[in-house]
Amino acid sequence: MRTLTKTDELAAFCAEARKGAYVTVDTEFLRERTYYAKLCLVQLALPGDGEAVLVDPLSDGLSLEPLYDLYRDTNVVKVFHAARQDLEIFFVEGQVFPEPLFDTQVAAMVCGFGEQVGYETLVRKIARAPLDKTSRFTDWSRRPLSDAQKTYALADVTHLRVIYEFLASELEKSGRSKWLGEELRVLTDPETYIVRPSEAWKRVKTRTNSGKFLAVVRELARFREGYAQSRNVPRNRVYKDDALLELASTKPQSIEDLSRSRLLLREARRGEIAEGIIAAVKAAQETPPEDYPQPDTSNDKLQVNPALADLLRVLLKAKAENAGVAQKLIATSADLDQIAAGQRGVMALKGWRAEVFGDDALRLCKGELALVARGSSVEVVEL
């Protein structure tokens, strides 16, 4: 179990990796005490029975630039499982995305393994091997790493080789490789990982659409996100959503007002956070009505045809079973309601989803198709 702690060691391994068709990658990280994930370990494995190594990014003087150069090499496929958090780390730290990318979780859904299938399931079903997960919740920032931790970490890339080769072959045989490409585009879009403080209010669930109230929520969420990013602390360590909503209701004007809060953490009742809260409330109260935030109420106004929505659900089930693809990967319940309400900008009507479901969904809406029960199955009949 070789651990790379020097830049030249990593460079030599990456040079070897560039001779192969693919490299499997995984990471171990912590983010309970920080806003941005703290990268603690990178695991890499070469094809077949090639070498698998651990890379210790916490080693003094180690640069990950050789790894980033490998990511930029479009001749080598970079294979991950459930890549989103891994990619966020590399985008934040190195402003780089692996290209080309293969995510075995997404590929497994396209190949009919169900919704958000776990790595352990794929190891069992494809690699036919057991997987020891006892080290899953260990502190990866502590050194030295135990042999058990190293064994666990390496298993996340060694079995991945067999899984990748199987799924890539299945996609090629079924002609669904382009489906995977469409799904992965969002993972390599910087907008997926950029959190703008000015838009943080949209993630706070409120029970009112009052523009005046939402203006306070927006400014409090803006301050919290900016403070958390600049100090690299979790946003909930600044103040939680329930405290934010309480502040939006009480609109504190002074430190004394903050002391009456039931939900605000003690650390937030003084110093920079307290000053930020008061300034945010003041800014919101000075916001003219025309600049109040506007919540998205488009779905509230949908005139959904419930009978048509039910038919679309039956059609989706039949199409998903026929294609061997997880239903939720094709369309969500909200997508079906939007289609039944006459909206046509839905993802379920675009790309490969249109081939599998969307085109027939539109024909069903137009009365050009019917659904017929035959035994335990449902068939689509042209009218």
Side-chain angles (χ1 to χ4, degrees), residues 137-202:
F137 299 112
T138 59
D139 184 349
W140 292 99
S141 67
R142 297 187 65 179
R143 295 295 184 269
L145 295 174
S146 68
D147 285 347
Q149 285 178 301
K150 293 178 181 180
T151 300
Y152 164 87
L154 284 174
D156 281 346
V157 286
T158 51
H159 296 309
L160 195 55
R161 298 180 289 202
V162 179
I163 294 168
Y164 163 68
E165 291 179 6
F166 175 85
L167 292 175
S169 175
E170 289 297 299
L171 290 172
E172 189 66 29
K173 286 189 290 187
S174 64
R176 295 181 179 180
S177 296
K178 67 173 185 177
W179 295 16
L180 180 65
E182 288 182 30
E183 293 305 295
L184 295 183
R185 273 198 280 275
V186 68
L187 289 178
T188 53
D189 181 355
E191 288 298 317
T192 302
Y193 308 100
I194 295 173
V195 180
R196 295 179 175 85
S198 61
E199 298 175 358
W201 69 277
K202 296 177 182 178

Side-chain angles (χ1 to χ4, degrees), residues 85-99:
Q85 292 191 82
D86 301 313
L87 298 189
E88 180 182 10
I89 291 171
F90 294 124
F91 173 68
V92 170
E93 296 214 356
Q95 294 294 297
V96 64
F97 288 115
E99 177 67 27

Side-chain angles (χ1 to χ4, degrees), residues 115-335:
E115 298 162 9
Q116 294 186 324
V117 60
Y119 181 65
E120 188 174 4
T121 300
L122 295 182
V123 171
R124 187 176 68 252
K125 290 186 175 181
I126 297 175
R128 306 290 183 184
L131 194 64
D132 181 5
K133 304 296 285 185
T134 54
S135 295
R136 179 185 302 179
F137 299 112
T138 59
D139 184 349
W140 292 99
S141 67
R142 297 187 65 179
R143 295 295 184 269
L145 295 174
S146 68
D147 285 347
Q149 285 178 301
K150 293 178 181 180
T151 300
Y152 164 87
L154 284 174
D156 281 346
V157 286
T158 51
H159 296 309
L160 195 55
R161 298 180 289 202
V162 179
I163 294 168
Y164 163 68
E165 291 179 6
F166 175 85
L167 292 175
S169 175
E170 289 297 299
L171 290 172
E172 189 66 29
K173 286 189 290 187
S174 64
R176 295 181 179 180
S177 296
K178 67 173 185 177
W179 295 16
L180 180 65
E182 288 182 30
E183 293 305 295
L184 295 183
R185 273 198 280 275
V186 68
L187 289 178
T188 53
D189 181 355
E191 288 298 317
T192 302
Y193 308 100
I194 295 173
V195 180
R196 295 179 175 85
S198 61
E199 298 175 358
W201 69 277
K202 296 177 182 178
R203 294 196 307 273
V204 181
K205 294 181 180 179
T206 65
R207 296 181 179 180
T208 176
N209 288 331
S210 163
K212 191 173 184 179
F213 180 80
L214 290 177
V216 187
V217 170
R218 179 177 63 187
E219 296 307 319
L220 287 169
R222 186 204 306 268
F223 166 71
R224 179 178 67 173
E225 204 72 24
Y227 184 93
Q229 289 178 348
S230 64
R231 305 302 194 284
N232 195 24
V233 296
R235 64 175 67 89
N236 282 345
R237 292 276 287 275
V238 185
Y239 42 81
K240 297 182 179 180
D241 281 2
D242 55 358
L244 186 154
L245 293 174
E246 180 192 48
L247 294 170
S249 296
T250 59
K251 303 178 184 62
Q253 308 293 313
S254 65
I255 300 295
E256 184 181 355
D257 291 342
L258 288 179
S259 67
R260 302 189 186 99
S261 171
R262 296 180 300 109
L263 302 174
L264 202 60
L265 296 172
R266 183 179 303 170
E267 296 79 7
R269 301 184 187 195
R270 59 180 183 271
E272 288 183 306
I273 298 178
E275 292 170 4
I277 291 171
I278 294 168
V281 171
K282 184 174 185 294
Q285 292 178 320
E286 293 174 353
T287 300
E290 60 268 23
D291 291 335
Y292 285 164
Q294 298 298 316
D296 182 5
T297 58
S298 57
N299 287 340
D300 298 340
K301 300 175 183 177
L302 287 180
Q303 299 296 314
V304 179
N305 181 331
L308 179 55
D310 287 341
L311 286 174
L312 287 169
R313 284 171 172 77
V314 175
L315 176 66
L316 174 62
K317 186 175 186 297
K319 288 291 186 178
E321 288 178 354
N322 184 58
V325 180
Q327 290 186 48
K328 283 188 178 179
L329 186 63
I330 300 173
T332 65
S333 181
D335 290 337

